[in-house]
Amino acid sequence: MLELAGRLRELPRDDLAAALRSREFDTAGVSDLFDLAEALLAPDSVDRAISRLDRPRLAVLAASAEPGATVDGVRRLLAELGAPATIADASGPSIDRLAGWLLLVRTGDLVHVPAAVAGRLVPRLGDDLPTLAELAAPAPPVLVGDDPVDRSLLERRSSDVAYATVAATAELLAALGAQPARELAKGGLALPDSKRLAEASGTGLDELPRLFHRADEAGLVVRDGAYWLESDRGAEWSLESARGRWLVLASCWRDRIPETLRELVARRSDPLTSGALLDDVRWLYPAGGTWLDDGLERLFGEAEALGLAVSGEPVEAARLVLAGEIERAADLVAAHFPAQVDRVYLQHDLSIVAPGPLEPELDARLRGIADVEARDLASTYRVSAASVNRALAAGERADSILEFLSSISLTGIPQPLAYLVSEAADRFGTVRVSAAAESEAPAQASIRSDDAELIGTLAVDQALASLALRRTGQHRLLTRFAPEVVFWALSDAKYPVAAEDARGEIVRLQRHRLAPTPVVAQRADPIATLLDRLEATQAGDGTEEAWLARQLEAAARSKETLTVTVRMPGGDTADYLLAPASVANGRLRARDHKADIERTLPLSAIAAVAPAPATEV
């Protein structure tokens, strides 16, 4: 521990911060460098660090634990054990990386693994871990055998699943664009929003969290305060082709996989199987524990959803993605995607039928004019007075709506549809919503209409009861809610409503609100806070004598034996093998192992302390 504490003291702040962020440990109760060293050398912290080492670095760490290890000696030992050049010749950089993770100490060419680390690794070699020779061995050869699985069927099935995931994600974003989802204080989406999003995306309520999390990791949704919205990146993604959408999700999946594992899988030229992939992962991380099992479960679950595996069996696209050939993988998966269409059938019953997946830009505009009724390979939309009113409120005109529908119709414009659009345009703005005057506070919004009977209907409409409308005249209502909230409530209740400004001019509103990719707020960094605390401790007691006292106190607490160098009269020095008992009033009380007596020394007479040689302890 003293050796590590000294090492921590020598590190520049940035290097120390990077080292601490690479480790998992409990920062509670850490008040000085000795507490920090003790936390880093705690068995749980060391075990977690070892479990995350891949096989090459684990081999280097095990070789470094040999007595009298040097950088060149580690390289030679690994080479003698048959390690490939990629491991043996890279042992120097690996040692530096392990030193950066505070798992070993490098002093020039000398390498030393702290006893607390060696004690958690060496006894396991040849037991629950491979031996050093096995760790150094090259990757096992790939055996190519018969593959009884019909890969063409798997690939077609994988494409179906991949397309379903892409389509469900698109519907999720569309639903969020129409109405944000509320995040509960305890975490997770509010149940009404979860049910709404599950129904819109065509997924089960229990499957929604994974679908939502996937969209979050890809940056397609963003949390803004207590609500989740579609991000501007999500809006761009929604306008991509199905192939382009899948490409984004697959790239995000690949980025979460360690590069070493990608390289290991990419060496295979035979059909990839789940058994082979598991063998590769467990070979690469022989010390991996719970974190590896949890990661694999999630990795395979995501692979299934993206069509990279079927019933646990990876398909060729999975190998291509892991090898970095994502464009080829996208071509392979998208080869069985249903073809997009740019024409629809307009029906006399005001429904619109798309015989296949509609091109994204056309679909986005059509959703602004009609409501989605059924979403599948052949989708159905329905035009209503409310949906046309919504389009008019967003800036469309009767002629622009009919022109657009005519441009995509295979059946022309049915007369009932033309009449509906024209009538909705004539009635648009019969009800007007605007901001209330300041003198009318606490009211925030005003509703007016030339039709007094319609105002009376609004006042007693139970669907609008939550707005607490208050009639102030024959043609006017007030409410304490914001104008935009009132506008969409009236729109959802299918009234011909328009928003207006203080001059009475119509204001175009769109419910679809995007959240920009956020600038992540600076959270309190626990590592930075810890380092500030340690620096304050050192600044308040930073003399060399104080540091020496801390070393001796730590050795007394942990019952360590030290080599203590003492200045003698005349300028000479002498080394004593001492077990510190206490430090008080500037003096050390310790047991002398060789003389078997208790000594008391002034701290001013102590020139240096060092861990006792292993043979003397």
Side-chain angles (χ1 to χ4, degrees), residues 177-247:
Q179 183 179 342
R182 185 167 63 90
E183 175 88 1
L184 297 174
K186 62 182 180 181
L189 298 178
L191 184 58
D193 286 323
S194 293
K195 290 180 176 179
R196 174 175 62 87
L197 295 177
E199 182 179 358
S201 59
T203 58
L205 198 58
D206 57 335
E207 298 171 357
L208 180 66
R210 298 185 70 172
L211 180 70
F212 198 92
H213 185 66
R214 192 181 305 117
D216 181 25
E217 287 189 327
L220 307 181
V221 296
V222 169
R223 184 176 173 181
D224 184 7
Y227 289 90
W228 285 93
L229 299 93
E230 180 185 8
S231 69
D232 49 4
R233 186 181 303 167
E236 294 173 1
W237 179 88
S238 296
L239 296 179
E240 291 276 354
S241 64
R243 178 188 180 279
R245 294 173 179 178
W246 181 88
L247 195 61

Side-chain angles (χ1 to χ4, degrees), residues 546 548-558 580 582-584:
L548 177 63
R550 288 178 180 276
Q551 289 179 286
L552 296 170
E553 289 169 354
R557 287 201 309 269
S558 58
S582 66
V583 179

Side-chain angles (χ1 to χ4, degrees), residues 527-597:
I527 297 300
T529 303
L530 173 62
L531 294 180
D532 289 341
R533 187 164 70 244
L534 295 178
E535 286 177 357
T537 301
Q538 289 180 270
D541 197 10
T543 64
E544 288 302 317
E545 186 171 308
W547 173 252
L548 177 63
R550 288 178 180 276
Q551 289 179 286
L552 296 170
E553 289 169 354
R557 287 201 309 269
S558 58
K559 296 182 171 53
E560 290 186 58
T561 300
L562 304 176
T563 299
V564 180
T565 302
V566 181
R567 300 186 188 92
M568 306 299 290
D572 293 335
T573 59
D575 290 341
Y576 293 91
L577 200 63
L578 302 178
S582 66
V583 179
N585 301 319
R587 304 182 73 81
L588 165 68
R589 186 170 60 85
R591 188 76 184 174
D592 187 325
H593 272 221
K594 287 188 176 180
D596 196 22
I597 60 174

